[in-house]
Amino acid sequence: MPLVRRRRPEVGFHGVVDAAKGLVLVVEDDPAIADVLRLHLTRAGHGVHVERDGLSGLAQVRTLRPAVVVLDVGLPGIDGIEVCRRLRAADDWTPVLFVTARDDEVDRVVGLELGADDYVTKPFSPRELVARIASVLRRSAGVVGNGALVAGDVTLHPDTRQVLADGRTVDLTATEFELLAALMRRPGTVFTREHLLSTAWGEADYGGSRTVDVHVAQLRAKLGDASPIRTHRGVGYSVVAS
Ligand code: CA
C-alpha cells in the first residue's frame, strides 16, 4: 500500500500533506471561515480544496474524490442540503460533515436523513472540527478518497476492478472479486457463508455454502501473505479493519 503509507506531517509547512489523512473538500461561501478551515486542516495534515458554491462543490466531489466534504448549509446556487441529496441520489457515499448556522438548519440536516456523517454549528472551534473529521474518517476506515477499499496491504478498486496485494496486481475471477469486495466494504464485520454466497453469486445457489470456503481458499492463495481475510469458525469470514 505504498501510496498511502503513513508519514509524519511537517506541521507549519503547508506544502507537505500526510496522504493517509486525505483530501478535505471545503464548500463554504464565507472566505474568512474558509481560510480558517484551510489553515487548521492543513496543519492537521490534510490536503484542502475550497469551493464557494453548491454546484462547484458537487462537481469537485466527483472530480477530486475527497476523503471527506465539509459542507456549509447556506450556499449560493444550490444549498448544502441539496448538494448532499444529489450525492446520495447518485449513490455517492463520500462522508459529509455539515456546517450549520442556525437551529432550523440543524433540524433540516438531522430530520431529512440525508446520510450526513456529522455536523457542527457556527460558531465552531476549528480544533473541534478537525477532531470531528478524524472521527468521521475513522468510521469510514477502509474507504480511501479515490473510492478504493483498503485492508492491510490489499487495495481494491471497485471502478477498475483492480486488486493490489503488497503493490502487485492480483488476477481474480469475478466471483473471487465479488467475495473480496463484499468483505472489504465492511471491514471488521463477520459475514456468514450464506450472506457471501448470495452476494457473490446472486440469488442462485451453486453448490452450497462450502463453495464459499473453496473460493476463499483460492483468494487467500492469490493474495498470499497480504491476505486480510480471517476465518470465524462455524460462522463465516471477515477482513481485518486497517
Ligand atoms: Ca454560508
Side-chain angles (χ1 to χ4, degrees):
M1 196 175 60
L3 289 179
V4 289
R5 187 78 68 193
R6 194 173 290 275
R7 61 180 167 151
R8 187 183 298 276
E10 292 181 27
V11 176
F13 176 53
H14 296 173
V16 173
V17 169
D18 180 352
K21 291 207 169 174
L23 176 70
V24 180
L25 173 63
V26 174
V27 189
E28 169 62 74
D29 59 318
D30 182 328
I33 294 177
D35 285 349
V36 168
L37 288 178
R38 185 195 293 279
L39 178 69
H40 283 266
L41 289 167
T42 307
R43 278 190 183 158
H46 291 284
V48 181
H49 181 91
V50 176
E51 287 294 340
R52 296 278 158 80
D53 68 88
L55 280 177
S56 305
L58 187 62
Q60 291 299 354
V61 177
R62 291 167 175 164
T63 304
L64 299 173
R65 306 305 310 159
V68 59
V69 186
V70 175
L71 188 55
D72 187 26
V73 173
L75 290 170
I78 60 171
D79 69 12
I81 285 173
E82 182 60 21
V83 170
C84 189
R85 198 199 310 272
R86 290 190 192 184
L87 283 176
R88 300 319 188 217
D91 207 21
D92 185 325
W93 296 92
T94 304
V96 168
L97 188 148
F98 272 111
V99 176
T100 62
R102 305 182 307 272
D103 286 350
D104 61 312
E105 288 183 354
V106 175
D107 291 346
R108 287 174 72 204
V109 165
V110 174
L112 287 173
E113 296 179 0
L114 292 161
D117 295 86
D118 203 353
Y119 69 90
V120 295
T121 304
K122 291 177 185 173
F124 56 87
S125 128
R127 209 175 282 236
E128 182 194 348
L129 184 118
V130 168
R132 296 281 194 94
I133 286 175
S135 160
V136 165
L137 290 175
R138 268 197 304 278
R139 289 203 298 274
S140 68
V143 182
V144 294
N146 58 3
L149 306 175
V150 177
D153 290 326
V154 175
T155 305
L156 180 147
H157 296 272
D159 297 345
T160 59
R161 300 183 72 84
Q162 188 191 33
V163 174
L164 297 171
D166 277 333
R168 70 187 162 84
T169 301
V170 182
D171 288 322
L172 299 181
T173 65
T175 300
E176 289 161 359
F177 181 90
E178 294 302 336
L179 269 179
L180 185 61
L183 291 163
M184 287 181 67
R185 279 193 193 100
R186 302 272 301 280
T189 301
V190 181
F191 290 97
T192 63
R193 292 177 175 80
E194 290 71 24
H195 179 97
L196 291 169
L197 197 61
S198 67
T199 301
W201 282 266
E203 292 304 309
D205 180 351
Y206 294 96
S209 58
R210 292 297 147 191
T211 306
V212 175
D213 298 345
V214 173
H215 285 275
V216 167
Q218 288 165 359
L219 197 46
R220 278 181 166 145
K222 290 182 178 181
L223 295 174
D225 290 343
S227 172
I229 301 171
R230 296 283 175 274
T231 302
H232 301 265
R233 211 168 280 282
V235 185
Y237 298 98
S238 69
V239 303
V240 290
S242 29

